Amino acid sequence: MNTLAIYSSKGGVGKTATAVNLAYTAAISGQRTLLCDMDSQGAASYYFRIKPKKKFNSEKLLEGEIARNIRGTDFPGLDLLPAHFSFRNLDLVLNRLAEKKRRQVLTGVFAPLKDDYDVLVLDCPPNLTLLSENIIEAADNLVCPVIPTTLSLIALEQLLKLFGKLDADKGKILAFFSMVERRKSMHLAMMEKYSKYPLFLKTSIPFLAEIEKMGILRQPVGATARLSPAARQYDKLWQEVWERSRR
Ligand SMILES: Nc1ncnc2c1ncn2[C@@H]1O[C@H](COP(=O)(O)OP(=O)(O)OP(=O)(O)O)[C@@H](O)[C@H]1O
Ligand SMILES: [Mg+2]
């Protein structure tokens, strides 16, 4: 099982759009895929029109009680673990655990799924907290959307700093440029400056109205129009992530 966390500490950079579309692409390319919505905002769950069971909560997630909360989607090979509103307290619950084990909780939660799924995609909330440390520990790779602007790059630098503090393997980070607008000279300049770093993937995702419209259509872009520019670009991103991922 390959665990891919779609992660950035910065909000609104395209994490959920990436998680939903990569999970969909993974599933239609034949991988048994589970998308885990880790964000209490529940945006990924919303896109699939799936609500959590009322009895699910952050304690149950961290105790590993997830199998009975996983739901099928309309798409073969793609399941979803919906977020619960209580996930906003995940850090509080983690903080109550013993210092020694509180960074590996999510690793233990996902381990029993390894024979059921080929790919686990985590849609992460915009945090740089103990939950993020669990995500870094549990994920084989962190797929990090970066808008080519200063603040988004600062978020990536902060992630690298956290990796340094945890002595984690920075090779896990797969960054890509997200919501790219080529008419903006700042976007072009930032991409020119940073794309040479090996942690950046070659594929970028442009800013496209079609991706924004997912909020209305509530489906991955490929489910609405398989050969649209957005769907093709997510296919390319998936292929590059899959090639570079640590399986
Ligand atoms: N490539 C894109 N082109 C156009 N709009 C996009 C693109 N990617 C995301 N969006 C839109 O931008 C908004 C923020 O995207 P998204 O929810 O994926 O970001 P996020 O990083 O998950 O945010 P949060 O940190 O709040 O979870 C959404 O309205 C989404 O539809
Ligand atoms: Mg999100």
Side-chain angles (χ1 to χ4, degrees):
M1 185 173 76
N2 192 11
T3 303
L4 300 170
I6 317 302
Y7 175 85
S8 171
S9 60
K10 180 138 178 56
V13 296
K15 293 181 291 297
T16 301
T18 305
V20 165
N21 288 300
L22 284 192
Y24 172 80
T25 310
I28 61 163
S29 65
Q31 309 293 339
R32 295 166 303 161
T33 304
L34 175 66
L35 171 60
C36 297
D37 189 351
M38 306 300 297
D39 187 349
S40 64
Q41 295 179 91
S45 314
Y46 174 85
Y47 282 134
F48 289 99
R49 303 161 195 263
I50 290 176
K51 288 186 178 156
K53 289 185 180 167
K54 282 200 179 117
K55 286 185 176 166
F56 192 34
N57 61 35
S58 49
E59 276 92 356
K60 287 189 175 155
L61 171 77
L62 297 179
E63 282 158 14
E65 207 181 301
I66 52 175
R68 72 175 70 162
N69 292 296
I70 291 173
R71 311 273 302 275
T73 67
D74 293 342
F75 309 105
L78 178 57
D79 290 345
L80 177 93
L81 178 72
H84 191 269
F85 188 54
S86 63
F87 285 9
R88 71 193 189 284
N89 296 325
L90 277 170
D91 268 296
L92 287 176
V93 183
L94 285 167
N95 264 300
R96 277 191 228 127
L97 304 175
E99 165 77 32
K100 251 185 162 178
K101 63 171 195 182
R102 64 185 182 196
R103 284 180 178 78
Q104 283 92 32
V105 184
L106 277 189
T107 308
V109 168
F110 296 134
L113 301 172
K114 72 177 189 333
D115 296 329
D116 298 329
Y117 295 101
D118 304 310
V119 178
L120 210 62
V121 176
L122 313 181
D123 183 25
C124 303
N127 284 341
L128 201 60
T129 60
L130 190 51
L131 177 64
S132 324
E133 295 182 24
N134 268 268
I135 287 163
I136 292 169
E137 192 66 47
D140 297 299
N141 286 98
L142 272 81
V143 179
C144 304
V146 179
I147 303 176
T149 58
T150 325
L151 288 182
S152 209
L153 280 151
I154 288 175
L156 184 61
E157 278 166 19
Q158 287 170 340
L159 178 65
L160 287 165
K161 204 167 150 190
L162 179 60
F163 264 70
K165 191 189 129 205
L166 299 174
D167 202 20
D169 174 8
K170 292 185 179 122
K172 273 190 184 187
I173 301 175
L174 303 176
F176 70 95
F177 289 110
S178 171
M179 300 167 90
V180 173
E181 294 178 83
R182 292 198 169 267
R183 63 188 173 82
K184 290 188 176 167
S185 53
M186 186 190 181
H187 280 205
L188 292 179
M190 290 283 182
M191 286 169 71
E192 162 108 41
K193 185 168 171 196
Y194 288 94
S195 55
K196 61 176 179 279
Y197 292 102
L199 94 171
F200 272 98
L201 298 173
K202 290 187 176 61
T203 312
S204 58
I205 300 289
F207 187 95
L208 291 167
E210 205 190 327
I211 301 174
E212 245 180 339
K213 276 193 205 135
M214 278 172 58
I216 302 166
L217 299 171
R218 295 176 77 177
Q219 288 199 25
V221 287
T224 318
R226 187 69 212 108
L227 297 176
S228 65
R232 283 173 193 253
Q233 211 53 25
Y234 281 116
D235 278 353
K236 263 179 93 177
L237 183 66
W238 167 250
Q239 276 161 29
E240 198 180 359
V241 166
W242 193 238
E243 274 161 27
R244 289 268 306 259
S245 65
R246 311 220 154 151
R247 277 163 277 156

